[in-house]
Amino acid sequence: MTEPSPNPLRDPQDRRLPRIAGPSSLVIFGVTGDLSRKKLMPAVYDLANRGLLPPGFSLVGFARRDWADEDFAQVVHDAVKEHARTPWREEVWNQLAEGFRFVPGEFDDDDAFERLKATIAELDEVRGTGGNYAFYLSIPPKFFAPVVGQLKEHGLAQAAGASWRRVVVEKPFGRDLTTARQLNAVVSEVFPSESVFRIDHYLGKETVQNILAFRFANAMFEPVWNSHYVDHVQITMAEDIGIGGRAGYYDEIGAARDVIQNHLLQLVALVAMEEPIAFDARSLRVEKQKVLSAVALPGRLDQHSARGQYAAGWQGGTPVQGYLQEQDIPASSTTETYAALRLDVETRRWGGVPFYLRTGKRLGRRVTEVAVSFKRAPHLPFSETATESLGQNALVMRIQPDEGVTLRFGAKVPGTGSGTELRDVNMDFAYGGAFVESSPEAYERLILDVLLGDPPLFPRHEEVELSWQILDPVIAHWATQGRPEQYDAGGWGPTCADQMLARDGRTWRRP
Ligand code: BG6
């Protein structure tokens, strides 16, 4: 007798079944902010457009604006029109817009939270949202505690019966280890750990998830993924933009806290971790935590860290102003807009392989990549002149843009001349060429995961703490060093960053 074939409509493992969120609603605090308009609202629409939200899905905005629901709907409309990834579909919009509500109020206004409570009850009634609410804190960190406290006070954090309440916390999770712990204490007093979703949007990027697929779905890379073959790893997140309208946030934070503490250390963890026993949240976090626990800072931070601040320069053919001339930035600011750091992962696999991290605003171009540089062949049976222009083999995972993977290796230059000449060539995989599907935005994936209660892509508190433990001494060191070096906008950062690598006999890649 043959086995009955599973009914694809009933088999929850069937890959063809889209992951559709159940009855639910998203409440965004800080709905007037940049993130909300550029990323969250468009992501909600794109999810709805892809059929991944339930018909009664509702979006509630909470902010200090004297808006009616219609004003809020107009703001969402404009944000979606400008930033959504998928095409405009009137019927999708109309259905979604029926679930828009706006609650005006301050974060310390008890009446506003009572209004929020009433709004939620009304949505459960008319939209069938089932008491399931995710509260998204897209607000400055100083408001995290008061808002979480209000949710508790007004009975919004506790779910009744089988329904759920979740809280989504945008970075930065604190500004150092102490404040991260304080924040965690506040949040965990109100929400159990499985209901807390910390956003690191890099983990929502397809190409970042591909790091694990690349490493663990293939047999040919893992054998060389260690100190026997790898010389060093460079992780770059370069941006061509300045700080835009975020002076208030950025000047308090700087490049290291903004990007290294979260995105870049998460990339280090994914590149360096051992194979997890399963691809579930627990197993992944265990392996990432091991890497972060094994990270050691260099003994001489003055030699192996670097920071800078962009000066005026040119970008894309237009003159741009320096950081200190940006609106609302004090002329005496010592906040870094560029940060670079050497780290070592003290494990058997990685002993002696430096990881170099760098990030900066107003650099030559926007690019995020992980470049694994391999050791040179121990012997080259060619004449010296043949190998003059031969570099190190490298595997570059291009996170963005031009998402893909490049393998660089030496090849013989064609020709019949007397001598052999070798030169580096690239072998390229580009997402755009290999797949017809376009990648969803990171926030689409993450918002959907929150609504589904799916935690693998959200860092746990322990990872956040470990990351601050790594970074705190670096920031404390810089605080004793006076002003950061200025670098020209449109260039590749301060000379001290080049010197940092030169001390190790290496150079930064020019992506
Ligand atoms: C954010 C930082 O986390 O990432 C910003 O706060 C930065 O300063 C942004 O511009 C970059 O994100 P992406 O996805 O464009 O690389």
Side-chain angles (χ1 to χ4, degrees), residues 132-179:
N132 301 319
Y133 287 87
F135 299 104
Y136 199 121
L137 308 187
S138 176
I139 51 182
K142 65 176 180 210
F143 296 121
F144 289 165
V147 170
V148 168
Q150 290 281 38
L151 293 175
K152 181 182 175 197
E153 281 305 300
H154 295 272
L156 288 157
Q158 295 84 30
S163 61
W164 51 258
R165 299 291 157 102
R166 297 179 184 135
V167 67
V168 186
V169 192
E170 258 298 336
K171 60 170 254 279
F173 317 109
R175 48 177 294 112
D176 52 23
L177 181 59
T178 311
T179 49

Coordinates of all heavy atoms in Angstrom, one line a residue, residues 132-179:
N132 N -5.4 40.6 20.2 CA -4.0 40.3 19.9 C -3.3 41.6 19.5 O -3.6 42.1 18.4 CB -3.8 39.3 18.8 CG -4.5 38.0 19.3 OD1 -4.3 37.6 20.4 ND2 -5.2 37.3 18.3
Y133 N -2.4 42.1 20.3 CA -1.8 43.5 20.0 C -0.3 43.4 20.1 O 0.2 43.0 21.1 CB -2.4 44.5 20.9 CG -3.8 44.8 20.5 CD1 -4.9 44.1 21.0 CD2 -4.1 45.8 19.5 CE1 -6.2 44.3 20.5 CE2 -5.3 46.0 19.1 CZ -6.4 45.3 19.6 OH -7.6 45.5 19.1
A134 N 0.4 44.0 19.1 CA 1.8 44.2 19.3 C 2.0 45.7 19.4 O 1.5 46.5 18.6 CB 2.5 43.8 18.0
F135 N 2.7 46.1 20.4 CA 3.0 47.6 20.7 C 4.4 47.9 20.2 O 5.4 47.3 20.8 CB 2.9 47.9 22.2 CG 1.5 47.6 22.7 CD1 1.2 46.4 23.5 CD2 0.4 48.4 22.5 CE1 0.0 46.2 24.0 CE2 -0.8 48.2 22.9 CZ -1.1 47.0 23.7
Y136 N 4.5 48.7 19.2 CA 5.8 49.0 18.6 C 6.3 50.3 19.2 O 5.8 51.4 18.9 CB 5.6 49.1 17.1 CG 6.9 48.9 16.3 CD1 7.0 47.9 15.4 CD2 8.0 49.8 16.5 CE1 8.2 47.7 14.6 CE2 9.1 49.6 15.8 CZ 9.2 48.6 14.8 OH 10.4 48.4 14.1
L137 N 7.5 50.2 19.9 CA 8.0 51.5 20.5 C 9.1 52.1 19.5 O 10.3 51.8 19.6 CB 8.7 51.1 21.8 CG 7.9 50.4 22.8 CD1 8.6 50.3 24.2 CD2 6.5 51.0 23.0
S138 N 8.6 52.9 18.6 CA 9.5 53.6 17.7 C 9.7 55.0 18.2 O 9.4 56.0 17.6 CB 8.8 53.6 16.3 OG 9.6 54.3 15.4
I139 N 10.2 55.1 19.4 CA 10.3 56.3 20.2 C 11.7 56.5 20.8 O 12.4 55.4 20.9 CB 9.2 56.4 21.3 CG1 9.3 55.1 22.2 CG2 7.9 56.5 20.7 CD1 8.3 55.0 23.3
P140 N 12.1 57.7 21.2 CA 13.4 57.8 21.8 C 13.5 56.9 23.1 O 12.5 56.8 23.8 CB 13.5 59.3 22.2 CG 12.5 60.0 21.2 CD 11.4 59.0 21.0
P141 N 14.6 56.4 23.3 CA 14.8 55.4 24.4 C 14.3 55.9 25.8 O 13.8 55.2 26.6 CB 16.3 55.1 24.5 CG 16.8 55.6 23.2 CD 15.9 56.5 22.6
K142 N 14.4 57.3 26.0 CA 14.0 57.8 27.3 C 12.5 57.6 27.6 O 12.0 57.6 28.7 CB 14.4 59.2 27.5 CG 13.7 60.2 26.6 CD 14.1 61.6 26.9 CE 13.4 62.5 25.9 NZ 13.9 63.7 25.5
F143 N 11.7 57.3 26.5 CA 10.3 57.1 26.7 C 9.9 55.6 26.8 O 8.8 55.3 27.0 CB 9.5 57.7 25.5 CG 9.6 59.2 25.5 CD1 10.1 59.8 24.3 CD2 9.2 60.0 26.6 CE1 10.2 61.2 24.3 CE2 9.3 61.4 26.5 CZ 9.8 62.0 25.4
F144 N 10.9 54.7 26.6 CA 10.6 53.3 26.7 C 9.9 52.9 28.0 O 8.8 52.3 28.1 CB 11.8 52.4 26.5 CG 12.4 52.3 25.1 CD1 13.7 51.8 24.9 CD2 11.7 52.8 24.0 CE1 14.2 51.8 23.7 CE2 12.2 52.8 22.8 CZ 13.5 52.3 22.6
A145 N 10.6 53.3 29.1 CA 10.1 52.9 30.4 C 8.7 53.5 30.7 O 7.8 52.8 31.1 CB 11.1 53.3 31.5
P146 N 8.5 54.9 30.5 CA 7.2 55.4 30.8 C 6.1 54.7 30.0 O 5.0 54.4 30.5 CB 7.3 56.9 30.4 CG 8.8 57.2 30.3 CD 9.5 55.9 30.2
V147 N 6.4 54.4 28.7 CA 5.3 53.8 27.9 C 5.0 52.4 28.3 O 3.8 52.0 28.5 CB 5.7 53.9 26.4 CG1 4.7 53.1 25.5 CG2 5.7 55.3 25.9
V148 N 6.0 51.7 28.6 CA 5.8 50.3 29.1 C 5.1 50.3 30.4 O 4.1 49.5 30.6 CB 7.2 49.5 29.2 CG1 7.0 48.2 29.9 CG2 7.7 49.3 27.8
G149 N 5.4 51.3 31.3 CA 4.7 51.4 32.5 C 3.2 51.7 32.3 O 2.4 51.2 33.0
Q150 N 3.0 52.6 31.4 CA 1.6 53.0 31.1 C 0.8 51.8 30.6 O -0.4 51.6 30.9 CB 1.5 54.1 30.1 CG 2.0 55.5 30.5 CD 0.9 56.2 31.4 OE1 0.2 55.5 32.2 NE2 0.8 57.4 31.3
L151 N 1.4 51.0 29.7 CA 0.8 49.8 29.2 C 0.3 48.9 30.3 O -0.7 48.3 30.3 CB 1.7 49.1 28.2 CG 2.0 49.8 26.9 CD1 3.0 49.0 26.0 CD2 0.7 50.0 26.1
K152 N 1.2 48.8 31.3 CA 0.9 47.9 32.4 C -0.2 48.5 33.3 O -1.2 47.9 33.6 CB 2.2 47.8 33.3 CG 2.0 46.9 34.5 CD 3.2 46.8 35.3 CE 2.9 46.0 36.6 NZ 3.9 46.2 37.6
E153 N 0.0 49.8 33.6 CA -1.0 50.5 34.5 C -2.4 50.4 33.9 O -3.4 50.3 34.7 CB -0.7 52.0 34.5 CG 0.5 52.3 35.5 CD 0.2 51.8 36.9 OE1 -0.9 52.2 37.4 OE2 1.0 51.0 37.4
H154 N -2.5 50.5 32.6 CA -3.9 50.6 32.0 C -4.3 49.2 31.5 O -5.3 49.1 30.7 CB -3.9 51.6 30.9 CG -3.7 53.0 31.5 ND1 -4.7 53.8 31.9 CD2 -2.5 53.7 31.7 CE1 -4.2 54.9 32.4 NE2 -2.9 54.9 32.3
G155 N -3.6 48.2 32.0 CA -4.1 46.8 31.7 C -4.0 46.4 30.2 O -4.6 45.5 29.8
L156 N -3.0 47.1 29.5 CA -2.9 46.8 28.1 C -1.9 45.8 27.8 O -1.8 45.2 26.7 CB -2.5 48.1 27.3 CG -3.6 49.2 27.2 CD1 -3.1 50.6 27.0 CD2 -4.5 48.8 26.1
A157 N -1.0 45.5 28.8 CA 0.0 44.5 28.6 C -0.4 43.1 28.8 O 0.2 42.2 28.4 CB 1.2 44.9 29.5
Q158 N -1.5 42.9 29.6 CA -1.9 41.6 29.9 C -2.9 41.1 28.9 O -3.9 41.7 28.7 CB -2.5 41.5 31.4 CG -1.5 41.8 32.5 CD -1.3 43.3 32.7 OE1 -2.3 44.0 32.5 NE2 -0.2 43.7 33.1
A159 N -2.7 39.9 28.4 CA -3.6 39.3 27.5 C -4.6 38.5 28.2 O -4.3 37.9 29.2 CB -2.9 38.5 26.4
A160 N -5.9 38.5 27.7 CA -6.9 37.6 28.3 C -7.0 36.3 27.5 O -6.9 36.3 26.3 CB -8.2 38.3 28.3
G161 N -7.2 35.2 28.2 CA -7.4 33.9 27.6 C -6.3 33.6 26.6 O -5.1 33.7 27.0
A162 N -6.6 33.2 25.4 CA -5.6 32.7 24.4 C -5.0 33.9 23.6 O -4.2 33.6 22.7 CB -6.2 31.7 23.5
S163 N -5.4 35.1 23.9 CA -4.9 36.2 23.1 C -3.5 36.6 23.5 O -3.0 36.1 24.6 CB -5.9 37.4 23.1 OG -6.0 37.8 24.4
W164 N -2.8 37.4 22.8 CA -1.5 37.8 23.1 C -1.2 39.3 23.1 O -1.9 40.0 22.4 CB -0.4 37.1 22.2 CG -0.7 37.2 20.8 CD1 -1.2 36.2 19.9 CD2 -0.4 38.3 19.9 NE1 -1.2 36.7 18.6 CE2 -0.7 37.9 18.6 CE3 0.2 39.6 20.1 CZ2 -0.5 38.8 17.5 CZ3 0.4 40.4 19.0 CH2 0.0 40.0 17.7
R165 N -0.2 39.7 23.9 CA 0.3 41.1 23.8 C 1.8 41.0 23.7 O 2.4 40.2 24.4 CB -0.1 41.8 25.1 CG -1.6 41.9 25.4 CD -2.2 42.9 24.4 NE -3.7 42.6 24.3 CZ -4.6 43.3 24.9 NH1 -4.3 44.3 25.6 NH2 -5.9 43.0 24.7
R166 N 2.3 41.8 22.8 CA 3.8 41.7 22.5 C 4.3 43.1 22.5 O 3.6 44.1 22.1 CB 4.1 41.0 21.2 CG 3.7 39.6 21.3 CD 3.9 38.8 20.0 NE 3.4 37.5 20.2 CZ 2.6 36.8 19.3 NH1 2.4 37.3 18.1 NH2 2.2 35.6 19.6
V167 N 5.6 43.3 22.8 CA 6.2 44.6 22.7 C 7.4 44.6 21.8 O 8.1 43.6 21.8 CB 6.5 45.2 24.1 CG1 7.6 44.4 24.8 CG2 6.9 46.7 24.0
V168 N 7.4 45.5 20.9 CA 8.5 45.6 19.9 C 9.4 46.8 20.3 O 8.9 47.9 20.4 CB 8.0 45.7 18.5 CG1 9.1 45.6 17.5 CG2 6.9 44.7 18.2
V169 N 10.7 46.5 20.6 CA 11.6 47.6 21.0 C 12.6 47.9 19.9 O 13.3 47.0 19.5 CB 12.3 47.3 22.3 CG1 13.0 48.5 22.9 CG2 11.4 46.6 23.3
E170 N 12.5 49.2 19.4 CA 13.5 49.6 18.4 C 14.9 49.8 19.1 O 14.9 50.2 20.3 CB 13.1 50.8 17.7 CG 12.5 50.7 16.3 CD 13.5 50.0 15.3 OE1 14.7 50.2 15.5 OE2 13.0 49.4 14.4
K171 N 16.0 49.7 18.4 CA 17.2 50.1 19.0 C 17.3 51.6 19.2 O 16.5 52.3 18.5 CB 18.4 49.5 18.2 CG 18.4 50.1 16.7 CD 19.6 49.7 16.1 CE 20.5 50.9 15.9 NZ 20.2 51.8 14.8
P172 N 18.2 52.2 19.9 CA 19.2 51.5 20.7 C 18.6 51.0 22.0 O 17.8 51.6 22.7 CB 20.2 52.6 21.0 CG 19.4 53.9 21.0 CD 18.3 53.6 20.0
F173 N 19.0 49.7 22.4 CA 18.6 49.1 23.7 C 19.6 49.7 24.7 O 20.6 49.0 25.0 CB 18.7 47.6 23.6 CG 18.1 47.0 22.3 CD1 19.0 46.5 21.4 CD2 16.8 47.1 22.1 CE1 18.5 45.9 20.2 CE2 16.3 46.6 20.9 CZ 17.1 46.0 20.0
G174 N 19.3 50.8 25.2 CA 20.3 51.5 26.1 C 21.4 52.2 25.4 O 21.4 52.1 24.2
R175 N 22.3 52.8 26.2 CA 23.4 53.4 25.5 C 24.7 52.9 26.1 O 25.8 53.3 25.7 CB 23.4 55.0 25.7 CG 23.1 55.5 27.1 CD 23.2 57.0 27.1 NE 24.5 57.5 26.9 CZ 24.9 58.2 25.8 NH1 24.0 58.5 24.8 NH2 26.1 58.6 25.7
D176 N 24.6 51.9 27.0 CA 25.8 51.2 27.5 C 25.2 50.0 28.3 O 24.0 49.8 28.4 CB 26.7 52.0 28.4 CG 25.9 52.7 29.5 OD1 24.8 52.3 29.9 OD2 26.4 53.8 30.0
L177 N 26.1 49.2 28.9 CA 25.6 48.0 29.6 C 24.7 48.3 30.7 O 23.6 47.7 30.9 CB 26.9 47.2 30.1 CG 26.6 45.9 30.8 CD1 25.8 45.0 29.9 CD2 27.9 45.3 31.3
T178 N 25.0 49.3 31.5 CA 24.2 49.7 32.6 C 22.8 50.0 32.2 O 21.8 49.5 32.7 CB 24.8 50.8 33.4 OG1 26.2 50.5 33.6 CG2 24.1 51.1 34.7
T179 N 22.7 50.9 31.2 CA 21.3 51.4 30.8 C 20.6 50.3 30.1 O 19.3 50.2 30.2 CB 21.4 52.7 30.0 OG1 22.4 52.4 29.0 CG2 21.8 53.9 30.8

